[in-house]
Structure formats: C-alpha cells, structure tokens
Amino acid sequence: MSVFDFPQDLLDAQAALDAAQAEHDQFAQLLAWSAEPMPGWKSDKQLHSDYLSEKQDSPGCKTEEAERLAGYRARILELTTLVITHPYWTTLSGPDRVAARTALKHAHDTAGPAA
C-alpha cells in the first residue's frame, strides 16, 4: 500500500471531523426515535418471518436537543467541506486520489499499545 504525505492541516481536519461525527452519533443515540411527537406502532407479521417490529410512543425532541443536533450537523458539514476541498487533492489523480482519500480516513487509526 502506498504511503501518502498528508499536510498537517488536512490530518487535523480529518481528526476533527471524526471527533465531531462520533460526538453527533453518541448524542443522537440519546434522542427519541422521532424529532416530532409521534404515536408508537407495531408491525403486522410478514410472510416467512416471525419478527414483529415495534416502537413506543415518541415524545419528540426538545428545542435544545434539536438545536444541539443542528449544531453538530453544521460542524460536520463545515469539516467535510474543508477536507474534500483541500488543495492537497489537486496533487493526485485517478486511483491515487481514491487511495489517498481512503488512507486519510484511517490515518489516525492505531494498532493499540506497543508491546
């Protein structure tokens, strides 16, 4: 696999994007399943399946929760734009650009503590 020499500001932007996405996902797990108050439901039995999906009533999201979620989404959009429009990408083309974008997403992965 090729090794890419990413600029530090691009690495920092990708790390911030990963962190913002993780915070968004963690917060979203705490929210009700529907942004607006909605009645719950239970599905009918489907052919060849015994699974019945079901949702309890949703109280909806509070205004503060919706605003916080919108803030996360705006930050993710800002960071995504910064990453994908970075001038570094103009130095690559074709399969190298695709490989570099994939490598950038894993640039901060760690193999765990050193032995």
Side-chain angles (χ1 to χ4, degrees), residues 49-68:
S49 175
D50 291 328
Y51 178 73
L52 298 173
S53 64
E54 181 176 3
K55 290 283 187 187
Q56 299 298 321
D57 290 347
S58 172
C61 293
K62 297 180 178 96
T63 303
E64 301 82 29
E65 292 171 333
E67 289 171 355
R68 185 172 170 191

Side-chain angles (χ1 to χ4, degrees), residues 66-102:
E67 289 171 355
R68 185 172 170 191
L69 194 61
Y72 281 126
R73 290 179 177 160
R75 180 70 175 144
I76 289 167
L77 179 60
E78 173 189 341
L79 291 166
T80 299
T81 302
L82 184 63
V83 169
I84 67 173
T85 62
H86 194 280
Y88 175 75
W89 303 119
T90 62
T91 66
L92 303 168
S93 64
D96 289 338
R97 186 179 295 167
V98 174
R101 287 187 186 214
T102 301

